[in-house]
Amino acid sequence: MSWSQSDLVAAAYSVVFVFVLVYVAIIAAKLARLQRETAELVELARAKSRADA
Amino acid sequence: MGVALVLALIIAPEDADQGISQRIFYIHVPIALTAYFCFGLGAFKALLHLWKGDERYDLESYVAIHQGTIFGALTLITGSIWARASWGVWWTWSSNQLVLFLVLFLFYCAYFMLRFSLEDGPRRARSSAVYALFGVALIPVSFLAIRLAEDFIHPTVFTRDGPQMSATMFVTFVVCWGAVTLLAYVLYRVELAGKRLDANLRELREVLQ
């Protein structure tokens, strides 16, 4: 496969863009999981407080 | 980052020798320098952990090395693309700087194998810190390899006589370097905050259950 100079420049910048995009997507997924876990813990704390009362 | 992209892809003049492929320089070199910086930061935090025994430095060292590995992978990929454009090959084993950077990258990849093969606790933190500190010796060797070995395959832009480029190219390079450093800093802070939040939630769960 023959690559022109402009193709290679576009490829270099695209690789960086895709890497950053994937990284942000991973962080977003992790943030969503932490949000779910926080909500679960809030529920757990409420249940515990009701049981103690 | 947007300004850096406009400068690198549109405003900066085309290099008389390398043509359009020289524009890869504006992304490849700042990423490589950021990778070195992240590995160095990881080693510095590891030293602080061994010195002060504070657990937070272990996490900071881990996150910095993780960032360094990501930027290291990008350095190798963008460098390989530039090599294809300039030399006609994706990789050459005859360039000492390339090989030494690969060694540095693989060394820090092995850091994760070591870290995750040990049980979570002070022993893992200490072993990881010692390993991270050993790796720091490779950074100046890798960085200065081209000058030490007088290897003329890999281009040397920054010499004792200053940067070998026009003022516009130099400004573009500085802006791109600033943008990549800022990106790395933001990613570092976000990842660190996520890891700390994760640890705090785990602790809270143990307390509540």
Side-chain angles (χ1 to χ4, degrees), chain A residues 9-52:
Chain A
V9 173
Y13 281 84
S14 304
V15 162
V16 177
F17 178 73
V18 168
F19 251 73
V20 173
L21 207 67
V22 169
Y23 193 88
V24 170
I26 291 169
I27 295 287
K30 190 175 178 175
L31 209 61
R33 180 177 62 80
L34 290 174
Q35 206 172 10
R36 268 198 315 273
E37 278 184 26
T38 312
E40 275 173 33
L41 286 173
V42 168
E43 279 305 310
L44 204 66
R46 278 187 187 143
K48 204 175 163 67
S49 136
R50 273 197 298 269
D52 289 346

Side-chain angles (χ1 to χ4, degrees), chain A residues 5 8 13 23 27 33 40, chain B residues 21 23 67 85 191 205:
Chain A
Q5 300 268 303
L8 290 165
Y13 281 84
Y23 193 88
I27 295 287
R33 180 177 62 80
E40 275 173 33
Chain B
S21 67
R23 289 183 194 277
Q67 293 291 322
E191 188 176 342
R205 190 179 284 277

